[in-house]
Amino acid sequence: METATGVGNLINSSSYESFISPKDGSFRESVDFSIPLKNDIDYIRSSLLSIIGSHCGRETYEAVEKIRELSYIYDTQQEDANFAELCQYIESLPEDKMLMATSFFSNMCNIVNYADYVHRLRRRRAFERGDSEMFQRYSCDEIFHELLQHGFTPDDIHRYICQIQCEMVLTAHPTQAVRRSLLSKLSKIATCLLERDRSDLTPAERERLAQVLECSLVALWRTDEVRRTKPKPEDEARSALQVVEDTIWKAVPRYIRSVDRSLAKIGAPPLPLDAVPFLFGSWAGGDRDGNPFVTAEVTRRVCLLNRLRALNLYLQEVEELLFDLSLHYASEELLEYNKRLPVSNTEYLEKEKLKYKEFWNHVPPAEPYRLLLAYIRDRLTATKVYTEDLLGNRPISEPDPQSPIYTHIDELLEPLLVMYRSLHETGDGVIAEDHLKDFIRQAKCFGLDLVRLDIRQEADRHTEAMSAITEYIGVGKYSEWDEEKRLSFLNQVLSSRRPLIPRHFPCDNNVQEVLDTFRTCSELGASSLGAYIISMCMAASDVLLVEVFQREFCATRPTQRVVPLLETIHALQGATKMMETLFSNPWYRQHLKDSFGNVQEIMVGYSDSGKDGGRLTSAWELYKAQESVTKVAEKYGITLRFFHGRGGTVGRGGGPQHLAILSQPPGTINKYFRVTIQGEVIQQDFGLPGLADRTLECYLTAILKAEMMPYSQVKAEWRELMDSMSQISYKTYRSVVYEQKDFVKYFRCATPEQEIGRLNIGSRPQKRKDGGVETLRAIPWIFAWNQTRLHLPVWLGTGAAIEYAKKMNKLETLQTMYKEWPFVHSFFDLMTMVLAKADSRIAAKYDTELVPKELQTFGSSLRHLLAETIDRVLNVTGEKRLLDNDMVMQRAMDSRRQWLTPMHIVQVEILKRLRAGMETQTIVDTLVISMKAIAAGMQNTG
């Protein structure tokens, strides 16, 4: 029997929180702060088991408890006999008992996640109360202190932080396995756990809290975990908006106040009102890459929905301000401003407005702030009615000339800023700095649309559409032209003012949908939309072609910025040539200058490049591509901005935000960082108010540090070693994944890849087209390996690369690179985190039960490579065991292990039955819940 690696061999010891000493910047290990977390988990576990006993009977209770006890024994002792006993008991259960047990462990995996979130917030509050002399890692206080120690002044820090902008794009990628109905209950449970920490609760309050917690747990247990139908793109959009409304909306102004407090501590002024450190975008309803369900009509409706939800939030804020700003005097500027508005008309003021909660029949004419706010409320309401009519495809109501609709956020900001200046001028600045200032910051951050919608489409779809057009007008087939001929044709079209597409152009549905999308985008306007992203973008003509289509439909309006997405190894290696061609193109250079202030955005994809060539090669090619393209942009005087398409898992570029940002090549951030927040990561980052604050802080401080701190020089010797290691890693990875004849067959037997579609976690199909690994999307590719705990895509090839360095007597050089080069340090820290989640005993269980004997040598050789890779990575990092350098991550894994192991055993047994033709609804439900449980426990889907 094989021994476990990774998580399986972690010593079950107390975990410790890491702190930074403000004196010397070193780490300290404090007393065991994980006790409250353990207490929370024990309390919830006991309560949930009691509920199971009440609802499902004694036998089910005893079966679940038996599994828990056996799993705990295995977790603490790690013996083959313990594992075998656990397997034997689970496999002997009847279907109904196995389903109930799976549901219990699945719920516990989710609850442990939220208990861990609560514990993070508990520790943060301890810092903020001053219970420790240490800094919290990546806080403003810590980073400001570090920058001051390096010779920067408070003015330097203030100047830089005022220019920083981080845009987070919530994607529709199908990686959130937990239903929203369950997430809301988990959030309520987390709130109760936080409340239980209060020492001032009365007995009645504590009793009531216990009732609310029990109610939430019962509702959680009685709610179906299985999503019975696939979500529509509109459902995905609503899920993204819900997160913005629930936490992000309030978190942005709240966290900026926190930044102001930290600035005040070092003697710097607060952030000015025109500073916008955070922006938010979305792909839900705009990402049509391989998703036939995202149509032009869906995009239109989602944009209108985004605006409607924003208007609702703004109306709530205005209603509150109507009560706050009851002052009866104001500056001359405000009084004069009001005179130019209908609020100076008595008839307008006395008109009954029954739809309003307050001030529905009268606004005191002597209260100028309320007069202006009432006018803002009327305009917001008119805009809301107009948007609802468009969304409902109803006839547009006759506009009220006294309450015109808002078409741009500046129209809303103008009167807010007048009030802000007025309050300061009349000596009431303290009022201006309260709710009104928060409202202004929200308006600047979220605009009229809450999130700007990106559009994404494959380059081949544009090529297909243009081919249909060129054939129809008799100039040949565009798709058959070489790059030179395509560029010549596109330049000619862009330089001409004549339209290209005939008025009544007959075409198939695919082509029509492409054209309808451009038409819809032109009608929605640039303020509702973000970038137009071209996936699988390989050449300069792919970019110019989109510009041609935009010009056809937006001749008199601003167009979207066009963003090439570099997502394969080949595309990354050809990026320099592609951008050189674009930047040297006279039309394109002038267009960039006139429309976007000489700023070019490029998206780099971590998912497909990782699937294409392995994690090490992907990371290194991404690093080099960003460097080389930045040099080309500098040559032409163009500011380059990168959009990082990161997934939740390390295999798709995920991991802690600060590590990702600090490992970027020098000079590539340019005070701007745009990144995707995908699937389950949205809840991890923004699921609770305190988490949202912490996420904003980690991004802001990492960008600030990356921009200001001097970089260590990257030696030529280091680059040469990385090039050689990348080649070795690439060949090793490709030799297994793409060149082994039966690898795809083994992959589909050893993992639940074929069954993932039953999860119904996204609207998008799991494959672009039929075929092998190359046609599989990165999300199910990573998801499947995570379920088996082999995590193959992340580490395969890395061990061989390290062994090469050792044979070349370069291991010491590699160790130095780990210590001194942020890129290499980040790479191996993330690798260590994934390897610690791997477990070869569990992976072997999948092989022995599910894989034909003639293919099982694949699994044994891969597990051997895994063990070798772990040893070699430890040689680089200097750790004795995985995660010695990250005790907090060890704590997180320790708290989840015993809940995960039974889920793998259940999944293997269910897959075996399912593939033997024993399909029942209970078996399918058990499989789906087991996949959700493992995804939750790993805190990764794809």
Side-chain angles (χ1 to χ4, degrees):
M1 177 75 76
E2 297 183 49
T3 57
T5 55
V7 169
N9 66 2
L10 290 174
I11 296 173
N12 191 28
S13 60
S14 297
S15 297
Y16 294 87
E17 292 282 358
S18 295
F19 303 96
I20 296 288
S21 166
K23 295 179 180 178
D24 61 8
S26 61
F27 285 95
R28 297 285 185 267
E29 287 186 350
S30 75
V31 296
D32 186 355
F33 281 112
S34 65
I35 291 174
L37 171 62
K38 294 172 183 174
N39 290 341
D40 282 346
I41 294 171
D42 287 345
Y43 175 77
I44 295 293
R45 183 256 309 161
S46 176
S47 300
L48 191 55
L49 278 170
S50 177
I51 291 166
I52 291 173
S54 300
H55 287 84
C56 305
R58 187 73 188 173
E59 283 187 15
T60 300
Y61 169 87
E62 289 176 351
V64 172
E65 180 63 4
K66 177 73 171 177
I67 296 172
R68 189 193 68 79
E69 289 173 356
L70 291 174
S71 182
Y72 177 77
I73 293 169
Y74 166 66
D75 182 45
T76 53
Q77 297 181 12
Q78 289 294 307
E79 296 292 337
D80 288 347
N82 303 137
F83 187 72
E85 185 179 3
L86 178 60
C87 291
Q88 185 178 7
Y89 184 77
I90 289 174
E91 290 162 3
S92 70
L93 290 174
E95 285 182 14
D96 59 335
K97 297 288 190 298
M98 193 180 291
L99 176 60
M100 291 297 101
T102 305
S103 189
F104 167 77
F105 281 90
S106 175
N107 277 306
M108 283 306 301
C109 285
N110 285 312
I111 288 167
V112 168
N113 284 343
Y114 274 77
D116 193 45
Y117 301 159
V118 167
H119 189 64
R120 289 188 223 167
L121 301 182
R122 181 182 289 131
R123 294 304 310 135
R124 180 182 177 88
R125 289 176 66 82
F127 283 113
E128 292 176 347
R129 287 195 305 267
D131 293 355
S132 170
E133 293 182 1
M134 308 296 181
F135 288 135
Q136 184 170 21
R137 297 214 70 196
Y138 314 111
S139 65
C140 278
D141 288 343
E142 182 213 336
I143 300 302
F144 290 178
H145 177 82
E146 188 176 346
L147 292 171
L148 291 172
Q149 285 189 321
H150 277 79
F152 292 101
T153 67
D155 284 345
D156 293 333
I157 295 171
H158 182 264
R159 185 173 65 257
Y160 268 89
I161 207 167
C162 287
Q163 299 173 62
I164 285 173
Q165 194 164 79
C166 178
E167 184 169 3
M168 286 157 271
V169 182
L170 310 178
T171 77
H173 282 356
T175 63
Q176 174 50 273
V178 185
R179 293 181 62 202
R180 268 179 61 196
S181 299
L182 296 172
L183 290 173
S184 65
K185 294 167 181 63
L186 289 165
S187 181
K188 188 175 288 188
I189 289 169
T191 302
C192 289
L193 292 177
L194 277 172
E195 282 291 298
R196 287 177 76 239
D197 286 347
R198 286 179 52 189
S199 58
D200 63 339
L201 289 173
T202 66
E205 288 171 333
R206 197 164 289 281
E207 181 182 342
R208 176 57 186 153
L209 192 59
Q211 290 173 347
V212 173
L213 189 51
E214 182 183 8
C215 175
S216 299
L217 281 169
V218 171
L220 184 74
W221 176 251
R222 302 290 276 181
T223 299
D224 190 359
E225 288 186 72
V226 180
R227 189 180 278 117
R228 300 294 170 182
T229 57
K230 289 180 77 68
K232 296 177 181 178
E234 293 97 321
D235 298 326
E236 293 169 332
R238 289 175 187 275
S239 294
L241 291 172
Q242 194 67 50
V243 174
V244 177
E245 292 172 346
D246 288 349
T247 61
I248 299 174
W249 176 257
K250 293 290 186 184
V252 168
R254 183 174 61 239
Y255 175 65
I256 294 176
R257 286 188 178 279
S258 174
V259 175
D260 288 345
R261 285 194 297 273
S262 294
L263 287 169
K265 290 177 186 177
I266 63 170
L271 291 177
L273 273 181
D274 58 0
V276 187
F278 304 107
L279 293 170
F280 292 88
S282 174
W283 278 13
D287 181 11
R288 59 237 315 120
D289 175 15
N291 191 342
F293 306 110
V294 179
T295 63
E297 176 60 17
V298 165
T299 295
R300 184 189 75 88
R301 290 181 59 79
V302 166
C303 281
L304 292 172
L305 179 64
N306 292 346
R307 178 161 293 196
L308 186 61
R309 300 282 277 265
L311 292 167
N312 287 335
L313 290 170
Y314 285 133
L315 280 165
Q316 290 174 20
E317 300 296 332
V318 170
E319 288 282 2
E320 292 179 24
L321 281 169
L322 273 165
F323 268 93
D324 292 347
L325 300 183
S326 55
L327 289 73
H328 62 276
Y329 51 87
S331 67
E332 280 300 315
E333 180 191 17
L334 176 54
L335 295 174
E336 287 298 318
Y337 190 88
N338 281 355
K339 287 179 183 177
R340 299 195 298 269
L341 303 176
V343 292
S344 60
N345 184 321
T346 305
E347 184 181 343
Y348 176 87
L349 290 176
E350 293 180 351
K351 187 188 300 182
E352 284 193 356
K353 297 169 184 177
L354 299 176
K355 56 183 170 289
Y356 296 138
K357 181 179 177 182
E358 303 289 349
F359 299 101
W360 57 274
N361 64 344
H362 178 67
V363 179
E367 295 176 357
Y369 294 95
R370 282 179 167 168
L371 289 175
L372 185 47
L373 285 165
Y375 176 68
I376 293 171
R377 183 176 63 175
D378 286 345
R379 289 194 66 180
L380 285 170
T381 302
T383 310
K384 180 183 174 182
V385 170
Y386 174 76
T387 306
E388 287 172 336
D389 287 345
L390 288 174
L391 194 54
N393 293 315
R394 295 191 295 265
I396 303 302
S397 306
E398 189 69 29
D400 183 350
Q402 292 188 319
S403 302
I405 65 169
Y406 285 116
T407 58
H408 195 279
I409 194 61
D410 288 345
E411 298 170 8
L412 174 60
L413 278 166
E414 181 183 283
L416 298 178
L417 291 169
V418 170
M419 288 188 282
Y420 180 82
R421 290 192 295 269
S422 175
L423 287 166
H424 273 285
E425 188 178 325
T426 55
D428 297 309
V430 66
I431 299 176
E433 296 298 313
D434 193 51
H435 190 178
L436 179 59
K437 186 174 186 178
D438 287 350
F439 188 27
I440 292 170
R441 292 209 183 280
Q442 287 167 325
K444 281 186 168 290
C445 171
F446 298 103
L448 278 183
D449 298 278
L450 207 57
V451 291
R452 286 192 172 189
L453 188 68
D454 281 358
I455 306 297
R456 184 169 76 136
Q457 181 60 282
E458 274 189 283
D460 284 351
R461 290 293 301 276
H462 304 136
T463 301
E464 179 188 3
M466 183 53 76
S467 287
I469 294 166
T470 54
E471 278 195 286
Y472 182 76
I473 63 177
V475 296
K477 195 169 186 179
Y478 179 85
S479 60
E480 295 177 354
W481 298 348
D482 61 20
E483 179 67 3
E484 184 179 351
K485 186 171 181 180
R486 289 184 183 187
L487 288 173
S488 175
F489 171 75
L490 296 172
N491 280 320
Q492 183 181 350
V493 174
L494 289 167
S495 301
S496 169
R497 295 188 177 183
R498 295 179 60 188
L500 175 68
I501 304 173
R503 276 177 176 256
H504 303 292
F505 167 57
C507 58
D508 64 26
N509 291 338
N510 281 345
V511 172
Q512 189 62 56
E513 181 55 42
V514 170
L515 300 181
D516 287 346
T517 296
F518 282 105
R519 182 179 293 105
T520 297
C521 288
S522 73
E523 292 166 354
L524 288 168
S527 64
S528 297
L529 302 170
Y532 192 107
I533 299 158
I534 310 168
S535 59
M536 292 298 168
C537 185
M538 298 293 183
S541 62
D542 291 334
V543 175
L544 293 181
L545 178 52
V546 172
E547 296 289 6
V548 165
F549 281 127
Q550 285 205 119
R551 197 208 65 164
E552 285 291 304
F553 295 100
C554 301
T556 59
R557 302 188 191 95
T559 60
Q560 287 175 265
R561 63 188 188 277
V562 179
V563 177
L565 168 51
L566 312 175
E567 52 188 330
T568 65
I569 302 296
H570 176 69
L572 291 168
Q573 292 172 341
T576 305
K577 180 182 177 183
M578 180 177 75
M579 299 315 297
E580 177 90 44
T581 302
L582 283 171
F583 293 156
S584 61
N585 181 296
W587 182 91
Y588 192 75
R589 280 286 308 283
Q590 193 63 42
H591 174 65
L592 273 188
K593 181 180 179 182
D594 294 344
S595 301
F596 305 106
N598 262 341
V599 174
Q600 171 70 57
E601 185 175 318
I602 295 175
M603 184 173 183
V604 286
Y606 294 70
S607 305
D608 284 285
S609 59
K611 182 165 71 75
D612 190 21
R615 175 74 183 125
L616 192 151
T617 299
S618 168
W620 182 230
E621 291 297 338
L622 282 160
Y623 189 94
K624 291 194 298 181
Q626 290 179 73
E627 280 187 320
S628 61
V629 173
T630 298
K631 289 177 183 176
V632 172
E634 289 172 353
K635 172 182 169 183
Y636 289 93
I638 291 167
T639 300
L640 205 60
R641 290 178 168 179
F642 286 102
F643 179 15
H644 299 267
R646 296 181 176 273
T649 56
V650 173
R652 296 186 56 242
Q657 307 100 328
H658 53 273
L659 276 180
I661 294 169
L662 293 174
S663 65
Q664 296 305 308
T668 59
I669 291 181
N670 291 322
K671 304 180 182 66
Y672 176 87
F673 193 80
R674 195 170 199 248
V675 64
T676 53
I677 312 286
Q678 300 188 5
E680 78 283 352
V681 181
I682 295 175
Q683 286 300 318
Q684 292 169 21
D685 286 354
F686 299 108
L688 297 171
L691 292 178
D693 290 18
R694 181 65 173 146
T695 296
L696 298 177
E697 182 167 63
C698 285
Y699 275 112
L700 187 73
T701 56
I703 296 168
L704 182 66
K705 184 175 179 179
E707 281 290 280
M708 295 187 69
M709 290 290 284
Y711 283 89
S712 300
Q713 187 65 34
V714 179
K715 299 176 183 177
E717 179 190 14
W718 296 358
R719 289 180 176 278
E720 289 171 8
L721 182 56
M722 280 303 304
D723 280 334
S724 299
M725 288 176 63
S726 175
Q727 290 172 17
I728 296 294
S729 178
Y730 180 80
K731 288 176 182 176
T732 303
Y733 178 90
R734 299 278 302 187
S735 69
V736 173
V737 174
Y738 289 92
E739 295 171 17
Q740 289 276 11
K741 178 185 173 185
D742 291 323
F743 175 78
V744 172
K745 186 177 178 182
Y746 164 76
F747 163 62
R748 289 180 172 153
C749 291
T751 73
E753 181 263 337
Q754 297 174 84
E755 292 81 10
I756 288 172
R758 296 175 185 263
L759 278 169
N760 288 327
I761 59 175
S763 65
R764 190 170 70 171
Q766 149 179 358
K767 286 186 174 186
R768 286 187 169 96
K769 53 189 176 183
D770 290 334
V773 173
E774 70 282 354
T775 66
L776 192 66
R777 289 194 174 275
I779 292 169
W781 166 246
I782 298 290
F783 187 106
W785 289 113
N786 285 358
Q787 292 282 303
T788 71
R789 298 285 282 281
L790 193 60
H791 301 286
L792 180 92
V794 178
W795 56 263
L796 184 59
T798 300
I802 297 171
E803 183 62 18
Y804 165 82
K806 185 178 179 181
K807 286 180 180 177
M808 300 300 292
N809 296 317
K810 295 289 185 179
L811 182 59
E812 198 172 314
T813 301
L814 187 56
Q815 291 167 340
T816 303
M817 290 161 62
Y818 172 72
K819 293 173 184 174
E820 298 181 13
W821 190 0
F823 164 72
V824 173
H825 191 93
S826 168
F827 174 82
F828 280 107
D829 278 0
L830 291 171
M831 179 72 62
T832 298
M833 183 179 73
V834 175
L835 291 174
K837 292 182 178 183
D839 192 314
S840 64
R841 183 183 277 126
I842 287 173
K845 177 71 174 173
Y846 281 82
D847 275 10
T848 54
E849 300 290 343
L850 300 173
V851 177
K853 288 200 179 295
E854 66 272 17
L855 296 177
Q856 288 187 13
T857 53
F858 268 110
S860 57
S861 64
L862 290 174
R863 292 191 297 278
H864 177 72
L865 285 175
L866 170 63
E868 284 185 344
T869 301
I870 290 173
D871 289 340
R872 290 166 184 172
V873 168
L874 290 174
N875 284 337
V876 175
T877 63
E879 299 169 300
K880 291 183 179 178
R881 59 194 179 110
L882 296 168
L883 291 180
D884 269 353
N885 295 340
D886 193 342
M887 293 294 189
V888 177
M889 183 60 71
Q890 274 198 17
R891 180 202 74 202
M893 293 190 179
D894 285 346
S895 63
R896 290 165 174 79
R897 274 202 314 263
Q898 66 167 305
W899 313 109
L900 274 169
T901 303
M903 292 297 89
H904 292 288
I905 298 168
V906 165
Q907 186 176 102
V908 170
E909 178 62 22
I910 291 297
L911 284 170
K912 190 165 64 172
R913 295 182 190 182
L914 198 61
R915 292 174 184 180
M918 301 165 60
E919 180 169 338
T920 66
Q921 189 60 54
T922 300
I923 281 182
V924 171
D925 287 354
T926 305
L927 174 64
V928 169
I929 295 171
S930 74
M931 287 195 280
K932 289 170 177 282
I934 294 166
M938 288 283 95
Q939 290 196 290
N940 293 129
T941 48

